[in-house]
Tab-separated table of all heavy atoms in Angstrom:
chain	number	residue	atom	x	y	z
A	237	ALA	N	-8.642	-52.181	7.730
A	237	ALA	CA	-9.387	-51.287	8.621
A	237	ALA	C	-8.474	-50.202	9.178
A	237	ALA	O	-8.857	-49.032	9.273
A	237	ALA	CB	-10.020	-52.087	9.749
A	240	GLY	N	-7.801	-47.606	6.553
A	240	GLY	CA	-8.943	-46.717	6.370
A	240	GLY	C	-9.037	-45.641	7.431
A	240	GLY	O	-9.661	-44.598	7.216
A	241	LEU	N	-8.419	-45.881	8.580
A	241	LEU	CA	-8.428	-44.906	9.673
A	241	LEU	C	-7.143	-44.077	9.714
A	241	LEU	O	-6.911	-43.329	10.660
A	241	LEU	CB	-8.600	-45.629	11.010
A	241	LEU	CG	-9.958	-46.308	11.233
A	241	LEU	CD1	-9.904	-47.192	12.458
A	241	LEU	CD2	-11.052	-45.264	11.392
A	353	HIS	N	-10.591	-50.696	18.963
A	353	HIS	CA	-11.273	-50.624	17.676
A	353	HIS	C	-12.047	-51.933	17.552
A	353	HIS	O	-11.462	-53.026	17.577
A	353	HIS	CB	-10.240	-50.477	16.547
A	353	HIS	CG	-10.812	-50.606	15.171
A	353	HIS	ND1	-11.087	-51.814	14.573
A	353	HIS	CD2	-11.164	-49.657	14.259
A	353	HIS	CE1	-11.579	-51.617	13.361
A	353	HIS	NE2	-11.628	-50.314	13.144
A	354	ILE	N	-13.360	-51.842	17.455
A	354	ILE	CA	-14.215	-53.030	17.498
A	354	ILE	C	-15.070	-53.085	16.232
A	354	ILE	O	-15.738	-52.111	15.870
A	354	ILE	CB	-15.152	-52.995	18.730
A	354	ILE	CG1	-14.337	-52.781	20.011
A	354	ILE	CG2	-15.986	-54.269	18.825
A	354	ILE	CD1	-15.184	-52.399	21.210
A	355	SER	N	-15.068	-54.240	15.570
A	355	SER	CA	-15.948	-54.476	14.420
A	355	SER	C	-17.044	-55.443	14.840
A	355	SER	O	-16.748	-56.543	15.336
A	355	SER	CB	-15.166	-55.069	13.247
A	355	SER	OG	-14.178	-54.170	12.792
A	356	LEU	N	-18.292	-55.042	14.647
A	356	LEU	CA	-19.454	-55.850	15.050
A	356	LEU	C	-20.358	-56.101	13.848
A	356	LEU	O	-20.621	-55.183	13.054
A	356	LEU	CB	-20.289	-55.110	16.106
A	356	LEU	CG	-19.669	-54.765	17.454
A	356	LEU	CD1	-20.625	-53.847	18.212
A	356	LEU	CD2	-19.428	-56.036	18.244
A	357	ASP	N	-20.854	-57.324	13.716
A	357	ASP	CA	-21.933	-57.621	12.784
A	357	ASP	C	-23.227	-57.640	13.583
A	357	ASP	O	-23.348	-58.393	14.559
A	357	ASP	CB	-21.704	-58.966	12.101
A	357	ASP	CG	-20.531	-58.936	11.144
A	357	ASP	OD1	-20.310	-57.870	10.534
A	357	ASP	OD2	-19.828	-59.955	11.013
A	358	VAL	N	-24.177	-56.790	13.195
A	358	VAL	CA	-25.398	-56.616	13.986
A	358	VAL	C	-26.624	-56.686	13.080
A	358	VAL	O	-26.534	-56.575	11.852
A	358	VAL	CB	-25.385	-55.258	14.730
A	358	VAL	CG1	-24.176	-55.146	15.633
A	358	VAL	CG2	-25.411	-54.097	13.731
A	359	ASP	N	-27.776	-56.872	13.720
A	359	ASP	CA	-29.034	-56.801	12.983
A	359	ASP	C	-29.201	-55.412	12.380
A	359	ASP	O	-28.949	-54.395	13.049
A	359	ASP	CB	-30.214	-57.082	13.920
A	359	ASP	CG	-30.380	-58.560	14.232
A	359	ASP	OD1	-29.973	-59.375	13.393
A	359	ASP	OD2	-30.912	-58.880	15.306
A	360	ASP	N	-29.638	-55.377	11.130
A	360	ASP	CA	-29.834	-54.097	10.449
A	360	ASP	C	-31.277	-53.639	10.657
A	360	ASP	O	-32.138	-53.798	9.775
A	360	ASP	CB	-29.518	-54.253	8.960
A	360	ASP	CG	-29.476	-52.912	8.241
A	360	ASP	OD1	-29.548	-51.872	8.927
A	360	ASP	OD2	-29.375	-52.917	7.007
A	361	ARG	N	-31.534	-53.098	11.848
A	361	ARG	CA	-32.877	-52.612	12.165
A	361	ARG	C	-32.791	-51.495	13.191
A	361	ARG	O	-31.762	-51.290	13.830
A	361	ARG	CB	-33.770	-53.742	12.671
A	361	ARG	CG	-33.245	-54.501	13.877
A	361	ARG	CD	-34.160	-55.671	14.222
A	361	ARG	NE	-33.605	-56.532	15.243
A	361	ARG	CZ	-33.690	-56.314	16.552
A	361	ARG	NH1	-34.298	-55.200	16.993
A	361	ARG	NH2	-33.187	-57.166	17.419
A	362	ALA	N	-33.881	-50.782	13.323
A	362	ALA	CA	-33.918	-49.623	14.217
A	362	ALA	C	-33.710	-50.044	15.666
A	362	ALA	O	-34.151	-51.109	16.099
A	362	ALA	CB	-35.255	-48.898	14.065
A	363	GLY	N	-33.029	-49.194	16.418
A	363	GLY	CA	-32.848	-49.400	17.852
A	363	GLY	C	-31.616	-50.171	18.247
A	363	GLY	O	-31.246	-50.201	19.432
A	364	VAL	N	-30.956	-50.804	17.272
A	364	VAL	CA	-29.788	-51.621	17.608
A	364	VAL	C	-28.646	-50.758	18.124
A	364	VAL	O	-27.981	-51.100	19.123
A	364	VAL	CB	-29.336	-52.448	16.379
A	364	VAL	CG1	-27.985	-53.109	16.644
A	364	VAL	CG2	-30.373	-53.491	16.054
A	365	LEU	N	-28.411	-49.641	17.477
A	365	LEU	CA	-27.304	-48.785	17.900
A	365	LEU	C	-27.516	-48.280	19.322
A	365	LEU	O	-26.561	-48.216	20.116
A	365	LEU	CB	-27.145	-47.611	16.939
A	365	LEU	CG	-25.972	-46.652	17.224
A	365	LEU	CD1	-24.660	-47.409	17.278
A	365	LEU	CD2	-25.923	-45.544	16.182
A	366	ALA	N	-28.751	-47.940	19.669
A	366	ALA	CA	-29.028	-47.470	21.027
A	366	ALA	C	-28.758	-48.561	22.050
A	366	ALA	O	-28.224	-48.304	23.138
A	366	ALA	CB	-30.474	-46.995	21.123
A	368	ILE	N	-26.593	-51.038	21.752
A	368	ILE	CA	-25.146	-51.221	21.841
A	368	ILE	C	-24.513	-50.084	22.638
A	368	ILE	O	-23.648	-50.316	23.497
A	368	ILE	CB	-24.548	-51.313	20.429
A	368	ILE	CG1	-24.959	-52.644	19.797
A	368	ILE	CG2	-23.033	-51.171	20.455
A	368	ILE	CD1	-24.619	-52.779	18.345
A	379	ILE	N	-17.739	-43.916	23.779
A	379	ILE	CA	-17.515	-44.146	22.358
A	379	ILE	C	-16.962	-42.873	21.723
A	379	ILE	O	-17.528	-41.789	21.880
A	379	ILE	CB	-18.812	-44.568	21.650
A	379	ILE	CG1	-19.283	-45.925	22.190
A	379	ILE	CG2	-18.609	-44.637	20.145
A	379	ILE	CD1	-20.623	-46.359	21.634
A	380	ALA	N	-15.863	-43.009	20.990
A	380	ALA	CA	-15.275	-41.859	20.293
A	380	ALA	C	-15.892	-41.692	18.912
A	380	ALA	O	-16.323	-40.612	18.536
A	380	ALA	CB	-13.764	-42.027	20.177
A	381	THR	N	-15.924	-42.762	18.132
A	381	THR	CA	-16.512	-42.719	16.798
A	381	THR	C	-17.260	-44.018	16.543
A	381	THR	O	-16.901	-45.080	17.067
A	381	THR	CB	-15.447	-42.546	15.692
A	381	THR	OG1	-14.594	-43.701	15.667
A	381	THR	CG2	-14.615	-41.303	15.907
A	382	VAL	N	-18.296	-43.935	15.719
A	382	VAL	CA	-19.025	-45.119	15.265
A	382	VAL	C	-19.444	-44.884	13.822
A	382	VAL	O	-19.867	-43.786	13.462
A	382	VAL	CB	-20.249	-45.417	16.170
A	382	VAL	CG1	-21.215	-44.239	16.201
A	382	VAL	CG2	-20.956	-46.685	15.718
A	383	ARG	N	-19.265	-45.899	13.021
A	383	ARG	CA	-19.678	-45.773	11.634
A	383	ARG	C	-20.155	-47.135	11.141
A	383	ARG	O	-19.783	-48.183	11.700
A	383	ARG	CB	-18.544	-45.261	10.753
A	383	ARG	CG	-17.347	-46.180	10.661
A	383	ARG	CD	-16.221	-45.575	9.839
A	383	ARG	NE	-15.032	-46.412	9.827
A	383	ARG	CZ	-14.819	-47.401	8.968
A	383	ARG	NH1	-15.737	-47.675	8.041
A	383	ARG	NH2	-13.711	-48.113	9.018
A	384	GLN	N	-20.974	-47.119	10.105
A	384	GLN	CA	-21.414	-48.352	9.486
A	384	GLN	C	-20.539	-48.639	8.286
A	384	GLN	O	-20.348	-47.777	7.420
A	384	GLN	CB	-22.873	-48.272	9.048
A	384	GLN	CG	-23.386	-49.579	8.435
A	384	GLN	CD	-24.876	-49.570	8.163
A	384	GLN	OE1	-25.606	-48.766	8.746
A	384	GLN	NE2	-25.326	-50.453	7.295
A	385	ASP	N	-19.993	-49.841	8.269
A	385	ASP	CA	-19.184	-50.279	7.136
A	385	ASP	C	-20.127	-50.648	6.007
A	385	ASP	O	-20.957	-51.550	6.137
A	385	ASP	CB	-18.341	-51.487	7.549
A	385	ASP	CG	-17.335	-51.894	6.485
A	385	ASP	OD1	-17.573	-51.568	5.314
A	385	ASP	OD2	-16.340	-52.541	6.840
A	386	MET	N	-20.012	-49.952	4.894
A	386	MET	CA	-20.957	-50.137	3.801
A	386	MET	C	-20.813	-51.486	3.112
A	386	MET	O	-21.634	-51.863	2.275
A	386	MET	CB	-20.798	-49.012	2.777
A	386	MET	CG	-21.052	-47.618	3.356
A	386	MET	SD	-22.592	-47.498	4.305
A	386	MET	CE	-23.779	-47.776	3.000
A	387	SER	N	-19.769	-52.254	3.479
A	387	SER	CA	-19.637	-53.587	2.888
A	387	SER	C	-20.651	-54.551	3.467
A	387	SER	O	-20.794	-55.679	3.008
A	387	SER	CB	-18.207	-54.123	3.120
A	387	SER	OG	-17.944	-54.252	4.509
A	388	GLY	N	-21.358	-54.091	4.525
A	388	GLY	CA	-22.396	-54.935	5.100
A	388	GLY	C	-21.851	-55.850	6.160
A	388	GLY	O	-20.677	-55.845	6.486
A	389	GLY	N	-22.723	-56.665	6.747
A	389	GLY	CA	-22.311	-57.572	7.797
A	389	GLY	C	-22.810	-58.966	7.529
A	389	GLY	O	-23.630	-59.217	6.640
A	390	ALA	N	-22.322	-59.922	8.305
A	390	ALA	CA	-22.710	-61.313	8.140
A	390	ALA	C	-24.100	-61.535	8.722
A	390	ALA	O	-24.540	-60.833	9.625
A	390	ALA	CB	-21.691	-62.205	8.843
A	395	ARG	N	-32.230	-62.569	7.909
A	395	ARG	CA	-31.858	-61.683	9.013
A	395	ARG	C	-30.738	-60.761	8.530
A	395	ARG	O	-29.563	-60.997	8.808
A	395	ARG	CB	-31.410	-62.506	10.225
A	395	ARG	CG	-31.250	-61.681	11.509
A	395	ARG	CD	-30.858	-62.584	12.658
A	395	ARG	NE	-30.622	-61.831	13.876
A	395	ARG	CZ	-30.164	-62.357	15.011
A	395	ARG	NH1	-29.919	-63.663	15.067
A	395	ARG	NH2	-29.975	-61.610	16.074
A	396	PRO	N	-31.082	-59.748	7.773
A	396	PRO	CA	-30.044	-58.886	7.188
A	396	PRO	C	-29.181	-58.242	8.267
A	396	PRO	O	-29.664	-57.850	9.329
A	396	PRO	CB	-30.856	-57.847	6.408
A	396	PRO	CG	-32.199	-57.848	7.046
A	396	PRO	CD	-32.448	-59.263	7.484
A	397	GLY	N	-27.898	-58.155	7.969
A	397	GLY	CA	-26.968	-57.607	8.944
A	397	GLY	C	-26.270	-56.359	8.452
A	397	GLY	O	-26.255	-56.052	7.267
A	398	ALA	N	-25.703	-55.653	9.398
A	398	ALA	CA	-24.885	-54.481	9.114
A	398	ALA	C	-23.619	-54.591	9.941
A	398	ALA	O	-23.605	-55.242	10.993
A	398	ALA	CB	-25.639	-53.203	9.466
A	399	ARG	N	-22.563	-53.977	9.465
A	399	ARG	CA	-21.306	-53.986	10.222
A	399	ARG	C	-21.067	-52.610	10.816
A	399	ARG	O	-21.064	-51.605	10.115
A	399	ARG	CB	-20.132	-54.376	9.339
A	399	ARG	CG	-18.776	-54.276	10.049
A	399	ARG	CD	-17.731	-55.117	9.390
A	399	ARG	NE	-18.069	-56.533	9.489
A	399	ARG	CZ	-17.355	-57.508	8.894
A	399	ARG	NH1	-16.311	-57.203	8.157
A	399	ARG	NH2	-17.708	-58.756	9.039
A	400	LEU	N	-20.874	-52.598	12.128
A	400	LEU	CA	-20.555	-51.363	12.836
A	400	LEU	C	-19.083	-51.383	13.231
A	400	LEU	O	-18.561	-52.408	13.692
A	400	LEU	CB	-21.415	-51.217	14.092
A	400	LEU	CG	-22.917	-51.023	13.903
A	400	LEU	CD1	-23.587	-50.890	15.262
A	400	LEU	CD2	-23.212	-49.802	13.042
A	401	VAL	N	-18.412	-50.264	13.057
A	401	VAL	CA	-17.023	-50.105	13.477
A	401	VAL	C	-16.994	-49.015	14.536
A	401	VAL	O	-17.370	-47.868	14.275
A	401	VAL	CB	-16.119	-49.738	12.290
A	401	VAL	CG1	-14.687	-49.536	12.771
A	401	VAL	CG2	-16.185	-50.811	11.218
A	402	ILE	N	-16.565	-49.396	15.728
A	402	ILE	CA	-16.588	-48.493	16.875
A	402	ILE	C	-15.166	-48.306	17.395
A	402	ILE	O	-14.419	-49.273	17.557
A	402	ILE	CB	-17.483	-49.053	18.001
A	402	ILE	CG1	-18.929	-49.175	17.504
A	402	ILE	CG2	-17.407	-48.177	19.250
A	402	ILE	CD1	-19.833	-49.928	18.463
A	403	VAL	N	-14.800	-47.065	17.650
A	403	VAL	CA	-13.527	-46.745	18.307
A	403	VAL	C	-13.859	-46.063	19.618
A	403	VAL	O	-14.665	-45.132	19.664
A	403	VAL	CB	-12.644	-45.836	17.436
A	403	VAL	CG1	-11.342	-45.493	18.167
A	403	VAL	CG2	-12.337	-46.503	16.103
A	426	LEU	N	-24.733	-60.226	15.800
A	426	LEU	CA	-24.516	-61.485	15.085
A	426	LEU	C	-23.099	-62.020	15.306
A	426	LEU	O	-22.853	-63.211	15.141
A	426	LEU	CB	-24.764	-61.274	13.592
A	426	LEU	CG	-26.140	-60.700	13.210
A	426	LEU	CD1	-26.216	-60.472	11.717
A	426	LEU	CD2	-27.250	-61.632	13.685
Side-chain angles (χ1 to χ4, degrees):
L241 293 169
H353 171 279
I354 307 166
S355 297
L356 298 171
D357 291 327
V358 302
D359 283 333
D360 190 8
R361 56 185 172 83
V364 170
L365 183 56
I368 289 171
I379 295 175
T381 65
V382 59
R383 64 183 176 87
Q384 182 173 340
D385 188 336
M386 300 311 295
S387 62
R395 191 178 177 185
R399 175 159 295 175
L400 294 180
V401 178
I402 298 170
V403 178
L426 304 177

